[in-house]
Amino acid sequence: DAKTTQPTSMDCAEGRAANLPCNHSTISGNEYVYWYRQIHSQGPQYIIHGLKNNETNEMASLIITEDRKSSTLILPHATLRDTAVYYCIVSIGGTSYGKLTFGQGTILTVHP
Amino acid sequence: DAGVIQSPRHEVTEMGQEVTLRCKPISGHNSLFWYRQTMMRGLELLIYFNNNVPIDDSGMPEDRFSAKMPNASFSTLKIQPSEPRDSAVYFCASRDRRNRPESFFGQGTRLTVV
């Protein structure tokens, strides 16, 4: 699986957009970009995933660069409950194995 | 659905004792994962089952660890004998490999070995 690089920590004001970057320069053609988050003391929670097109769901948007070497997770209106560790993971998707290799992630702190 | 259910939520045991962690995956899911989380090593995959069969156990730290999945609705992770360095939060996750890309995680079992 390709390795990802994320900033250690970020801050965001409540109500503003949180933009979390991720570099994955060694991503392969059949690997997807997944985002999970882990709120303190809970199990990780799936947010969104994508292959090469931008994606949006009820939780967030995922912007993937054209060369697929980096991506940005966007939480459009961050709330205090979005304070968590955010993990960017690259993995083969579809009906394959789906092994998730977690890095250290980005600690996002949303403040009032 | 109640989600992935793990038990117990907390376990404190003495070194040398056997510990069994339990997991009930989401009904209909055919893939199950056991992860371990520590401050030093983060989240690590221990073992992966597909259709109740262990596919990848390369993350199991040593022979003291064993995992079983006797049927589609139940899995166990056993540590025998336990050691203080096994203290961690153990997560179980399940996935419907046929139709969905995301894994669903349980709330975890916090294990403390003293």
Side-chain angles (χ1 to χ4, degrees), chain B residues 103-114:
Chain B
S103 295
F104 294 84
F105 285 74
Q107 291 299 303
T109 295
R110 181 174 296 277
L111 173 66
T112 303
V113 183
V114 299

Side-chain angles (χ1 to χ4, degrees), chain B residues 8-45:
Chain B
R9 289 295 308 278
H10 302 273
E11 177 80 36
V12 180
T13 190
E14 292 185 348
M15 182 174 62
Q17 296 296 306
E18 177 180 298
V19 176
T20 299
L21 311 181
R22 296 172 175 79
C23 175
K24 176 178 168 55
I26 293 173
S27 177
H29 284 194
N30 59 344
S31 293
L32 184 137
F33 307 82
W34 282 99
Y35 289 84
R36 177 174 69 175
Q37 186 171 34
T38 62
M39 288 294 294
M40 291 297 295
R41 302 175 66 89
L43 268 162
E44 304 173 281
L45 176 66

Side-chain angles (χ1 to χ4, degrees), chain A residues 1-55:
Chain A
D1 293 334
K3 180 179 172 59
T4 63
T5 304
Q6 300 178 249
T8 301
S9 63
M10 295 183 65
D11 287 337
C12 178
E14 188 176 21
R16 303 296 295 269
N19 297 279
L20 290 85
C22 178
N23 287 319
H24 32 78
S25 59
T26 61
I27 192 170
S28 301
N30 62 349
E31 289 182 313
Y32 287 69
V33 180
Y34 291 83
W35 283 84
Y36 281 76
R37 73 179 182 184
Q38 187 174 24
I39 297 171
H40 181 62
S41 298
Q42 298 182 20
Q45 175 191 25
Y46 167 83
I47 301 173
I48 198 168
H49 77 286
L51 183 62
K52 49 187 172 182
N53 296 324
N54 298 338
E55 302 287 345

Side-chain angles (χ1 to χ4, degrees), chain A residues 16-107:
Chain A
R16 303 296 295 269
N19 297 279
L20 290 85
C22 178
N23 287 319
H24 32 78
S25 59
T26 61
I27 192 170
S28 301
N30 62 349
E31 289 182 313
Y32 287 69
V33 180
Y34 291 83
W35 283 84
Y36 281 76
R37 73 179 182 184
Q38 187 174 24
I39 297 171
H40 181 62
S41 298
Q42 298 182 20
Q45 175 191 25
Y46 167 83
I47 301 173
I48 198 168
H49 77 286
L51 183 62
K52 49 187 172 182
N53 296 324
N54 298 338
E55 302 287 345
T56 296
N57 63 20
E58 65 278 4
M59 290 183 68
S61 294
L62 174 60
I63 308 298
I64 302 174
T65 58
E66 192 169 344
D67 63 7
R68 303 211 319 126
K69 292 185 177 182
S70 65
S71 60
T72 301
L73 177 74
I74 302 173
L75 306 179
H77 306 287
T79 71
L80 299 180
R81 289 179 294 179
D82 292 322
T83 293
V85 180
Y86 286 78
Y87 298 99
C88 171
I89 301 164
V90 171
S91 179
I92 295 174
T95 57
S96 62
Y97 180 152
K99 178 177 180 178
L100 300 175
T101 301
F102 288 83
Q104 294 304 307
T106 296
I107 301 170

